[in-house]
Amino acid sequence: MFIPAQRQHPRFTTTVPKEYVHRAAVAEVLLTGWRRLDDSRFVASAQWPRTHSYFTSPCGLHYDSTLVAETIRQVGTLVSHAEYGVPLNNHFILNSLRYACDPAQLEVLGTPAELSLSVTCAKLCRGGRLTGVEFDVDILRDGRPVGSGLAKATMLRPEIYRRIRGERLTPGPDAEAPLAEPVEPVLVDRRYAPDVVLSPGDAPRRWLLRADRRHPILFEHPNDHIPGMVLLEAARQVTRLLAPGSTAIATENSFERYVEFDSPCLIEAEEHDSADPAVKVVSVRAEQDGRTAFTSTLTLALPTAQAPAVRM
């Protein structure tokens, strides 16, 4: 008797729901799936497109290392909403993020980068409600480590967020500072002026934050304050000015206050001595109204040396 072969169904890939990663455009969703291992461990998959409109080097040959940070951020919001039941109307406040990467694995190849993520979470609960999460993420590309990181975030219910933000939630027409002229795009490895988030300052190693709310990636959806991704990009652009051709192999970032649109935000940097001549360390601070709002410490591999991989 003839027995037909079992029909093989094609395997399709799609993105996770964009709402789970706080993105308005499906094109900006990097994650393609996830699976729970137990209450604190998960695996996820992601894909980086070969021609990302922003997180790619000007020559198009390498991914921007900030893409590692965005992947970690997305998997943290995904697990919080999809697995821990955080309502989608809650506000996800990133408190800190540190990550490291292997620049050799950031090369753009002939196909999109297919990534696997290993995620371990620790929950902070209060009154039986999840109020915070810490997530440790390892990212692999074809079995080789691309990057890793640790992030901490707080979840706020809408009524609490409204109480904290007050009138900042509905800024008036004059609540935005004028957009200043950018530094030269080529100096910060960007192609176009709208991609630049720094304006020249009044002294060496000092700049003003430049936040163009029309930018389709940095301001992918409306926000009542300057997003953390803009501050990460400002720190990255500072390193391009201080150490041209360098590669960030590790960063440690702390988000201490909201950065508002209606007041100038000073970005200042300090270079530190390193025992390794192939490495430079730069610290960046964002100050608004006399108070520190954001700090970042970046470890850079200088262009004359082979960039080592760092595990944080």
Side-chain angles (χ1 to χ4, degrees):
M1 181 175 66
F2 174 73
I3 301 176
Q6 185 177 4
R7 184 174 179 180
Q8 296 294 318
H9 294 281
R11 182 180 179 183
F12 298 105
T13 298
T14 186
T15 63
V16 304
K18 60 186 177 65
E19 292 82 3
Y20 282 172
V21 296
H22 301 179
R23 283 290 169 252
V26 173
E28 294 305 315
V29 179
L30 304 176
L31 303 182
T32 56
W34 81 96
R35 179 166 56 91
R36 174 193 284 259
L37 299 179
D38 56 36
D39 189 54
S40 62
R41 296 184 303 125
F42 306 85
V43 292
S45 56
Q47 185 187 82
W48 292 347
R50 296 174 62 200
T51 56
H52 193 279
S53 60
Y54 195 71
F55 296 117
T56 309
S57 62
C59 63
L61 298 179
H62 296 87
Y63 295 108
D64 189 322
S65 62
T66 311
L67 203 55
V68 174
E70 174 61 8
T71 303
I72 293 171
R73 186 201 67 79
Q74 287 195 14
V75 79
T77 62
L78 169 71
V79 169
S80 299
H81 292 305
E83 293 293 341
Y84 291 152
V86 175
L88 290 173
N89 67 349
N90 278 24
H91 293 265
F92 193 90
I93 311 300
L94 190 61
N95 305 129
S96 64
L97 169 64
R98 69 185 190 205
Y99 69 93
C101 64
D102 180 358
Q105 298 302 320
L106 298 181
E107 183 181 2
V108 176
L109 302 177
T111 58
E114 299 287 350
L115 308 170
S116 59
L117 285 64
S118 175
V119 186
T120 302
C121 294
K123 297 183 291 183
L124 175 64
C125 296
R126 182 176 299 169
R129 181 189 298 271
L130 180 65
T131 57
V133 66
E134 176 179 301
F135 41 97
D136 196 335
V137 182
D138 289 296
I139 305 174
L140 299 179
R141 181 183 187 183
D142 297 326
R144 294 185 293 273
V146 174
S148 60
L150 178 69
K152 297 180 181 180
T154 302
M155 292 76 170
L156 298 178
R157 300 196 305 276
E159 61 272 23
I160 295 177
Y161 190 76
R162 285 195 299 269
R163 188 162 64 244
I164 292 173
R165 296 296 290 152
E167 62 183 19
R168 297 285 191 180
L169 282 174
T170 55
D174 299 326
E176 186 171 354
L179 195 62
E181 289 298 314
V183 301
E184 287 293 328
V186 68
L187 298 179
V188 292
D189 284 353
R190 291 303 183 199
R191 297 178 180 176
Y192 310 110
D195 294 337
V196 180
V197 298
L198 298 177
S199 294
D202 58 1
R205 300 182 182 83
R206 287 165 63 97
W207 302 266
L208 289 177
L209 185 66
R210 182 179 185 272
D212 188 345
R213 284 205 251 189
R214 299 168 298 179
H215 197 280
I217 306 300
L218 296 176
F219 290 89
E220 194 263 355
H221 57 273
N223 210 315
D224 61 276
H225 61 273
I226 293 177
M229 190 58 63
V230 176
L231 299 171
L232 292 176
E233 176 62 15
R236 189 204 69 84
Q237 292 189 13
V238 164
T239 66
R240 294 304 186 268
L241 292 169
L242 299 182
S246 63
T247 302
I249 55 176
T251 79
E252 186 163 351
N253 309 279
S254 177
F255 303 87
E256 301 179 21
R257 305 183 66 85
Y258 297 106
V259 177
E260 312 293 353
F261 289 105
D262 59 356
S263 180
C265 180
L266 174 67
I267 304 294
E268 57 183 6
E270 183 179 356
E271 299 178 70
H272 304 279
D273 294 333
S274 171
D276 185 349
V279 169
K280 178 187 286 288
V281 177
V282 175
S283 61
V284 178
R285 186 174 74 96
E287 178 187 300
Q288 189 172 56
D289 298 327
R291 295 177 292 185
T292 298
F294 165 76
T295 60
S296 179
T297 301
L298 303 98
T299 302
L300 313 172
L302 299 178
T304 55
Q306 175 102 22
V310 176
R311 172 67 170 97
M312 293 184 67

